[in-house]
Amino acid sequence: MLIGVGLLAAIGLGLAIASGYWTTDRRLAEGTAEEATEESFYQVPDPVPAAAPGTLLREEPLLSAPNGSKAWRILYHSTDVHGSDILVSGVVVAPDSPAPPGGRPIVSWGHPTTGAAQRCAPSLGIAPFDVIEGLTQLLDAGYVVVATDYSGMGAAGPDSYLIGDTEGNNVLDAARAARALDGTGAGTRLVLWGHSQGGQAVLFAAQRAADYAPELHLQAVAVAAPATNLAELLKADVGDVSGVTIGSYAFAAYSSVYEPTTPGATLESILTPEGAAVTDEMAALCLFGQNRELHDIATPLIGKYLAGDPGTTEPWATLLAQNTPGGVRLPVPLFVAQGDADQLVRPEITAQFVAGERALGTEVTFETIADTGHGLVALRAVPKLVDWLKTAAPASSTAPSTAPAG
């Protein structure tokens, strides 16, 4: 549905592309040193001190920033689907040069599936920038880039996997946190960019931005192979290892978040006894580094995971519909990239989403990336994305900003 072995290849390609931008030896050495501070950085105070969404609780510089940039690990306040004040981690990267008048525009990035557990957060480890697709080009164009981990990853918090309101709030509040961070030069102009799970996240952020973060000036939204019709995607993908794996992440998160307030939102109400018995175990494993363990558990469940159709079985049908983006006209241009060989987010499902948005009046640029599957679509779409942004949300715009000094 969202990600599989293909992204592992994409990460390798990303490292190859990045090799000209920051040296592997320096990145690994400084990333290893940074790991020593991670445990204390991600500790969440009990109780969490109350603060407005986007408020920074903690920050620290990352020496492994790409050449020509500066970067920080951040811990910031956000809001979950139930309206609770939560803490979320992420990273911010900014060009290491004076900001222009009015401040730099922000790109808030929604990452694709890396897992759902705390240790699966992209900001952890020795290479926290490798999953930010297009980072090099966006920095060169003058954007500040901020990448949320999503709630429950990195810092302890409620599950967020494919929970649109939580993810969308995390994406918007990451942009607020980037503005609050001295040294970024970030203004109020905002671009949203996401791949796969991150596509769903930034679409929800776009739908919520005007009401949730009215001080941010949303200019454009871009997605690559976004998770849109969740019920159809799940039905299409559950017949293979990737679909069972993604299903475990989603069902575990939904059960955890919705069961206390939604009767029947239990694993046993939608999964076979065999599937329910191992879902929490799978959900605790990361896509990278624990792929073999996931395959060992998921393979015997192919064809034996679901006990019913979640698209027609309540309360799952309603929950999936609530977390499906679309049905709302976006007030800014939308860029959609889709690989024509994608076997996880199927091209026909993305095409239906695009048709629906166009019918609502959203200005959509739809790019089909030839001979491309799910894992590589965002990377291969970056040149088209950067060209599109020159018109849709130019970094040199003189739009009003209330950027803090820094």
Side-chain angles (χ1 to χ4, degrees):
M1 178 169 63
L2 302 181
I3 226 169
V5 176
L7 186 61
L8 300 178
I11 294 301
L13 178 59
L15 286 169
I17 292 172
S19 63
Y21 204 70
W22 66 94
T23 65
T24 300
D25 287 347
R26 179 178 72 80
R27 180 178 58 81
L28 294 178
E30 293 173 349
T32 300
E34 286 160 359
E35 280 191 302
T37 67
E38 283 178 355
E39 183 175 354
S40 60
F41 184 87
Y42 289 91
Q43 288 179 351
V44 173
D46 185 16
V48 174
T55 302
L56 281 168
L57 177 72
R58 194 174 297 149
E59 65 188 75
E60 68 177 13
L62 293 173
L63 299 178
S64 59
N67 293 335
S69 73
K70 47 191 173 182
W72 301 261
R73 184 182 287 123
I74 58 172
L75 190 63
Y76 64 95
H77 287 261
S78 190
T79 311
D80 72 0
V81 65
H82 299 306
S84 301
D85 184 358
I86 59 176
L87 290 172
V88 182
S89 54
V91 298
V92 180
V93 194
D96 190 10
S97 60
R104 295 186 176 96
I106 303 166
V107 171
S108 194
W109 161 250
H111 69 77
T113 301
T114 58
Q118 280 185 251
R119 65 176 177 275
C120 307
S123 74
L124 288 165
I126 63 174
F129 311 107
D130 289 349
V131 187
I132 306 176
E133 292 161 311
L135 176 62
T136 299
Q137 296 89 333
L138 293 169
L139 290 172
D140 286 345
Y143 297 93
V144 175
V145 180
V146 59
T148 181
D149 286 328
Y150 309 133
S151 173
M153 299 178 67
D159 290 331
S160 62
Y161 191 77
L162 292 182
I163 297 175
D165 285 350
T166 300
E167 293 171 326
N169 293 348
N170 298 167
V171 167
L172 292 170
D173 290 328
R176 287 167 154 164
R179 294 194 64 239
L181 187 62
D182 288 339
T184 64
T188 60
R189 290 175 290 141
L190 176 64
V191 173
L192 303 172
W193 163 228
H195 177 196
S196 196
Q197 175 195 0
Q200 181 230 17
V202 303
L203 287 169
F204 266 88
Q207 293 171 186
R208 298 176 59 77
D211 293 329
Y212 184 79
E215 79 280 13
L216 298 175
H217 297 117
L218 181 63
Q219 295 190 301
V221 184
V223 294
T228 52
N229 189 328
L230 299 188
E232 288 301 314
L233 287 170
L234 182 61
K235 187 185 302 184
D237 295 338
V238 77
D240 62 24
V241 168
S242 293
V244 173
T245 298
I246 296 304
S248 75
Y249 294 160
F251 287 121
Y254 279 40
S255 179
S256 170
V257 169
Y258 291 113
E259 184 180 355
T261 58
T262 305
T266 64
L267 296 179
E268 292 75 16
S269 70
I270 194 60
L271 303 180
T272 63
E274 300 92 334
V278 298
T279 286
D280 287 340
E281 182 182 356
M282 281 193 288
L285 299 172
C286 303
L287 198 63
F288 305 131
Q290 296 179 303
N291 203 256
R292 182 182 299 276
E293 293 95 321
L294 282 167
H295 278 232
D296 289 345
I297 300 171
T299 298
L301 292 172
I302 295 174
K304 305 174 183 178
Y305 188 57
L306 294 177
D309 180 356
T312 59
T313 302
E314 293 295 350
W316 300 98
T318 296
L319 294 176
L320 290 171
Q322 288 175 353
N323 288 286
T324 290
V328 177
R329 178 187 177 276
L330 298 182
V332 297
L334 171 64
F335 173 96
V336 180
Q338 174 66 46
D340 64 355
D342 196 328
Q343 295 298 306
L344 294 171
V345 169
R346 307 302 170 103
E348 62 272 19
I349 294 177
T350 299
Q352 290 169 6
F353 167 74
V354 168
E357 284 302 306
R358 284 176 170 165
L360 291 167
T362 301
E363 178 188 330
V364 184
T365 297
F366 187 24
E367 297 281 358
T368 297
I369 310 300
D371 303 318
T372 298
H374 191 72
L376 291 173
V377 61
L379 283 169
R380 290 182 175 173
V382 165
K384 293 179 181 292
L385 168 67
V386 172
D387 283 344
W388 177 78
L389 284 174
K390 291 175 182 176
T391 300
S396 59
S397 171
T398 56
S401 172
T402 56

